[in-house]
Amino acid sequence: MDLVCQRMLNQGFLKVERYHNLCQKQVKAQLPRRESERRNHSLARHADILAAVETRLSLLNMTFMKYVDSNLCCFIPGKVIDEIYRVLRYVNSTRAPQRAHEVLQELRDISSMAMEYFDEKIVPILKRKLPGSDVSGRLMGSPPVPGPSAALTTMQLFSKQNPSRQEVTKLQQQVKTNGAGVTVLRREISELRTKVQEQQKQLQDQDQKLLEQTQIIGEQNARLAELERKLREVMESAVGNPSGSGQNEESPRKRKKAAEAIDSLRKSKRLRNRK
């Protein structure tokens, strides 16, 4: 049962890598070649998410597969495989996905915890079982006993110290993957800077509008003060005029002017209260 489960976990990680490569090829085939056109394309977020998943896969590969290839353990965090499948299926089934950091939050958390626990708790135990840590039951620093077995062991040790072409190619692919992850992070930083600049511009426009409205309110207050002054003059003249025929003839006109001034004052006050 243990061997069957180990084989399923190892095959699951290899299958999710192949599935990710297939999804990434399909998205890249639909993207334009120019970087400036890719940013505004409808599949830009799909490409960002897949690039971030590629970086996460490379980190998992560097952490676990060295010991998996040596048959010392299996790919332990099966929940990470399930989460990668969930992200890839979400990218394939959604036309307008969310931003990369929102979609990959759970994957980053559980994969980081898995790698930290593996490095701190399990790797020290596995390093003792690695080939080369104990040669023919002796310590690395002890002098070898002359003989054919010692010569064979030395040749095996030197062959393991020299990296093969496959390992060099694998390292080059990992460096390329890390570079893609850095590119994604730089793109996200540039988008955040653009948003900050837009928000600053909106704040400046709002400050300008507020200043204009303050000036308009000041002008209206000045007009209201002028109307109140005229109203007082009209009322004082109407109250303090002497009796006589001339006064009787002009009183309707003055009353009319006073009524108009009162109406205009009331309208201005209503307008000011509304604003």
Side-chain angles (χ1 to χ4, degrees):
M1 185 66 183
D2 183 54
L3 292 176
V4 171
C5 293
Q6 289 184 15
R7 185 166 60 251
M8 289 181 66
L9 287 169
N10 294 337
Q11 291 177 356
F13 182 74
L14 298 177
K15 287 180 180 180
V16 79
E17 279 188 326
R18 290 195 293 267
Y19 184 52
H20 169 265
N21 292 332
L22 178 63
C23 296
Q24 199 168 32
K25 286 181 181 179
Q26 292 176 353
V27 172
K28 285 185 176 180
Q30 301 178 30
L31 287 174
R33 294 184 178 180
R34 292 186 179 181
E35 187 67 24
S36 58
E37 296 178 357
R38 287 185 179 184
R39 295 177 182 176
N40 299 325
H41 198 270
S42 59
L43 296 177
R45 290 188 178 180
H46 297 74
D48 293 343
I49 294 172
L50 291 175
V53 172
E54 184 179 6
T55 304
R56 190 59 49 174
L57 284 172
S58 66
L59 292 174
L60 293 168
N61 198 338
M62 288 186 291
T63 302
F64 290 95
M65 297 312 290
K66 174 183 178 181
Y67 303 96
V68 173
D69 295 338
S70 301
N71 293 324
L72 296 177
C73 70
C74 65
F75 187 83
I76 300 172
K79 188 175 181 180
V80 175
I81 299 176
D82 296 336
E83 183 63 21
I84 295 174
Y85 270 119
R86 185 194 70 80
V87 172
L88 295 177
R89 289 165 183 160
Y90 171 77
V91 171
N92 285 337
S93 61
T94 307
R95 293 185 179 180
Q98 299 177 351
R99 296 189 178 276
H101 67 274
E102 298 175 357
V103 178
L104 300 173
Q105 184 65 42
E106 181 67 17
L107 176 59
R108 287 173 178 168
D109 291 342
I110 62 176
S111 61
S112 299
M113 289 190 293
M115 289 186 288
E116 289 176 3
Y117 182 83
F118 185 77
D119 289 334
E120 294 175 1
K121 303 295 182 180
I122 302 177
V123 168
I125 301 173
L126 297 180
K127 281 184 177 180
R128 302 171 190 170
K129 302 179 182 180
L130 272 176
S133 61
D134 186 6
V135 181
S136 298
R138 293 175 286 99
L139 296 176
M140 292 290 293
S142 61
V145 179
S149 61
L152 180 61
T153 304
T154 307
M155 291 298 294
Q156 291 176 354
L157 181 61
F158 278 113
S159 64
K160 288 175 181 177
Q161 289 178 351
N162 295 326
S164 63
R165 182 177 299 176
Q166 184 179 2
E167 292 177 351
V168 173
T169 305
K170 194 173 182 180
L171 289 174
Q172 290 176 351
Q173 291 178 354
Q174 291 174 357
V175 170
K176 185 178 179 181
T177 302
N178 293 335
V182 172
T183 304
V184 173
L185 291 176
R186 288 178 178 174
R187 187 181 303 171
E188 292 179 356
I189 291 172
S190 63
E191 291 178 357
L192 291 175
R193 288 178 178 173
T194 304
K195 286 186 176 180
V196 170
Q197 292 177 356
E198 292 177 354
Q199 291 178 355
Q200 289 178 351
K201 187 177 180 181
Q202 291 178 358
L203 289 175
Q204 292 177 357
D205 294 340
Q206 290 178 357
D207 291 339
Q208 183 66 26
K209 290 180 180 179
L210 182 61
L211 180 61
E212 293 176 356
Q213 291 178 355
T214 304
Q215 293 177 353
I216 293 172
I217 291 173
E219 294 176 357
Q220 291 178 352
N221 289 334
R223 292 178 182 176
L224 289 174
E226 181 67 20
L227 290 173
E228 289 175 356
R229 185 183 62 82
K230 291 181 178 180
L231 178 61
R232 284 196 301 268
E233 293 178 354
V234 172
M235 295 298 293
E236 290 175 357
S237 62
V239 173
N241 280 335
S243 59
S245 60
Q247 190 268 344
N248 292 331
E249 293 176 357
E250 293 178 358
S251 58
R253 296 179 183 177
K254 291 180 180 180
R255 290 176 183 174
K256 186 178 180 180
K257 289 182 180 180
E260 291 176 355
I262 292 171
D263 293 337
S264 62
L265 180 60
R266 289 177 179 174
K267 290 180 181 179
S268 300
K269 286 184 178 179
R270 290 175 184 173
L271 180 61
R272 181 171 59 183
N273 292 330
R274 288 178 183 177
K275 292 187 176 180

